[in-house]
Amino acid sequence: MSCVSESSQLNKVLRQRYLSLPQGDFCQVTYVWIDGCGVDLFSKTRTMDYEPKIIADIPEWDFSQQGSSAEMLLVPICMFRDPFLLDPNKLILCEVLNHKGEPAESNHRNSCNKVMEKVKDLHPWFGMEQEYTLLGVDGHPYGWPRLGFPKPQGMYNCSVGADRAFGRDIMECHYKACLYAGIKISGTNAETMPSQWEFQVGPCEGIEMGDHLWMARYLLQRVCEDFGVVATLDPKPMTGDWNGAGCHINVSTEQMREEGGIEHIEKAIEKLSKRHAEHIRVYDPSGGENNKQRLMGLRVFSSIHDFSAGVANRRASVRIPLRVAQNKRGYFEDRRPAANCDPYVVTCAMARTCMLEEEEEFKWDFGNKNNDCLMLE
């Protein structure tokens, strides 16, 4: 048996008795924000005496970052329905500002939004494929034997069956929660390593991509909390001959989607080839260190050291899907981002390289290579 949390063993039927109580005209509003590491999510809830209809109805709030005496400001930027407390209650994704009213060091949405405004006439669409791995609270992969290992890879991708699909209930509940919330989730599947799953978000235009993926990650953690397990975005959760976890990004502009758009796709890929090292550095929150064990040029992974591209080639850095090559328009897929990447940073880098033709080197501060949190102060 996998080791699950104590809280998941509490009486859920008893809990429902209280959750179903009427709440009158009041509304519970849960603020969600990204922590100083740029990896984890936090939340807290307040009562409002009316149901907010637009984001402008939500007041700003504050919190104190762990290890810091300075207050931080939560600025609401995106509202979703709450699949846990149900209507009329809301989930609010927030940007974090410091006590001076400036974007916190981990607030990459602010700079991403400025770039997306510059390229909005190109109508950039993004889709991201979020892989994650289910673990017990002891860190052991959910459903794996307590001693030894499951059968080798080759039978788990898109699999069906109790001996190979571990944690399907979690995946299904997360999918439904995203649909209820209004997140643009477009699909899901079991992945190559047992206990590893993937969901896709998109197409989303511009800044919406990061907003929806971050909230989908929050819902994933909350669903897993109910089941007593942990969803990790570690790009290489298990050493040895087991697949890592990525967050492939699919990219398309209006020109790429038009007749003959393959020419613009190929031009974008050529630009990416010239900035391979820079993109690797921003494709995980540790400046590329997290991706080193994943991008080894084995199985369906490219090499972290060399850029490659090809049609229908899942071992390339960037893939042109077969149908896109046949139709000569559509999108391309960059397979390098790690599962724990910041979607604001990845989409911003993609826009700067492929749509703005900037030559200035990317400058983002992700803290140190040991993943220590940035202190927001």
Side-chain angles (χ1 to χ4, degrees):
M1 289 288 292
S2 297
C3 185
V4 298
S5 70
E6 294 290 336
S7 294
S8 67
Q9 306 304 305
L10 295 174
N11 191 323
K12 304 301 182 182
V13 174
L14 181 61
R15 179 184 69 167
Q16 191 57 37
R17 179 190 302 174
Y18 297 96
L19 290 181
S20 61
L21 290 172
Q23 60 187 65
D25 294 329
F26 294 106
C27 183
Q28 292 173 269
V29 178
T30 299
Y31 290 57
V32 179
W33 68 94
I34 304 163
D35 77 339
C37 299
V39 175
D40 295 323
L41 289 155
F42 287 83
S43 67
K44 62 177 183 174
T45 305
R46 75 188 310 167
T47 303
M48 296 181 64
D49 57 8
Y50 59 90
E51 179 185 354
K53 301 298 183 182
I54 58 175
I55 199 66
D57 294 338
I58 308 295
E60 296 179 353
W61 208 3
D62 56 62
F63 75 100
S64 58
Q65 178 72 13
Q66 296 181 21
S68 172
S69 60
E71 284 192 349
M72 308 298 293
L73 190 64
L74 296 173
V75 180
I77 48 94
C78 203
M79 181 164 60
F80 298 87
R81 297 169 70 195
D82 189 333
F84 307 108
L85 300 178
L86 306 183
D87 290 336
N89 305 301
K90 308 297 182 186
L91 297 176
I92 309 299
L93 186 65
C94 301
E95 278 195 35
V96 178
L97 305 183
N98 63 24
H99 62 283
K100 298 178 182 179
E102 302 166 341
E105 291 182 63
S106 60
N107 180 356
H108 301 302
R109 185 187 190 276
N110 188 273
S111 56
C112 178
N113 198 32
K114 293 176 182 177
V115 171
M116 292 305 167
E117 280 296 310
K118 293 180 181 179
V119 301
K120 64 181 180 181
D121 289 342
L122 299 177
H123 299 288
W125 289 2
F126 302 102
M128 297 188 78
E129 306 169 25
Q130 178 67 70
E131 295 177 351
Y132 61 94
T133 307
L134 298 176
L135 309 174
V137 291
D138 59 352
H140 191 71
Y142 181 80
W144 285 34
R146 297 306 305 170
L147 299 174
F149 298 92
K151 295 177 182 178
Q153 292 183 165
M155 59 186 288
Y156 302 106
N157 189 268
C158 300
S159 63
V160 177
D163 62 337
R164 58 195 68 189
F166 306 146
R168 185 181 298 277
D169 285 349
I170 295 169
M171 176 274 290
E172 297 283 11
C173 290
H174 174 250
Y175 201 158
K176 287 286 190 178
C178 286
L179 290 173
Y180 182 94
I183 290 169
K184 292 185 175 180
I185 187 169
S186 51
T188 187
N189 59 271
E191 264 299 330
T192 305
M193 187 180 84
S195 302
Q196 188 182 73
W197 294 84
E198 174 190 298
F199 64 90
Q200 302 92 34
V201 175
C204 296
E205 187 162 333
I207 196 67
E208 187 181 54
M209 182 68 254
D211 294 344
H212 281 240
L213 184 55
W214 272 115
M215 187 54 75
R217 288 175 173 180
Y218 173 77
L219 296 190
L220 177 63
Q221 296 299 336
R222 286 289 307 276
V223 168
C224 285
E225 188 179 316
D226 281 346
F227 282 93
V229 301
V230 176
T232 179
L233 304 186
D234 188 335
K236 184 63 176 175
M238 294 298 293
T239 58
D241 192 21
W242 301 102
N243 266 33
C247 191
H248 307 160
I249 180 170
N250 300 277
V251 182
S252 176
T253 63
E254 190 170 50
Q255 289 177 317
M256 295 178 190
R257 297 188 291 273
E258 293 174 345
E259 199 72 35
I262 190 70
E263 177 184 349
H264 297 282
I265 292 173
E266 291 171 346
K267 286 180 179 179
I269 294 174
E270 176 63 23
K271 293 172 185 176
L272 287 170
S273 70
K274 297 175 181 178
R275 306 189 75 169
H276 176 65
E278 288 179 68
H279 277 258
I280 288 294
R281 285 198 296 272
V282 300
Y283 279 178
D284 71 50
S286 294
E289 291 298 309
N290 292 161
N291 245 337
K292 281 186 176 179
Q293 297 303 311
R294 172 178 161 265
L295 298 179
M296 301 179 68
L298 303 174
R299 293 188 179 273
V300 294
F301 298 103
S302 61
S303 169
I304 196 170
H305 303 294
D306 304 303
F307 181 88
S308 58
V311 174
N313 183 357
R314 293 178 182 268
R315 283 190 61 180
S317 306
V318 175
R319 175 181 70 101
I320 298 177
L322 181 59
R323 285 181 300 170
V324 172
Q326 293 171 338
N327 295 333
K328 299 189 183 303
R329 62 178 178 178
Y331 67 97
F332 65 88
E333 176 195 43
D334 191 330
R335 299 174 60 80
R336 295 172 293 173
N340 61 351
C341 70
D342 185 330
Y344 295 130
V345 173
V346 174
T347 55
C348 184
M350 194 63 66
R352 288 178 59 184
T353 294
C354 300
M355 303 171 206
L356 289 180
E357 302 185 27
E358 289 187 353
E359 296 183 359
E360 181 183 355
E361 185 176 352
F362 300 146
K363 293 180 181 178
W364 277 290
D365 186 359
F366 295 110
N368 63 38
K369 294 182 179 181
N370 295 319
N371 265 345
D372 292 343
C373 292
L374 294 168
M375 300 314 299
L376 301 183
E377 54 186 17

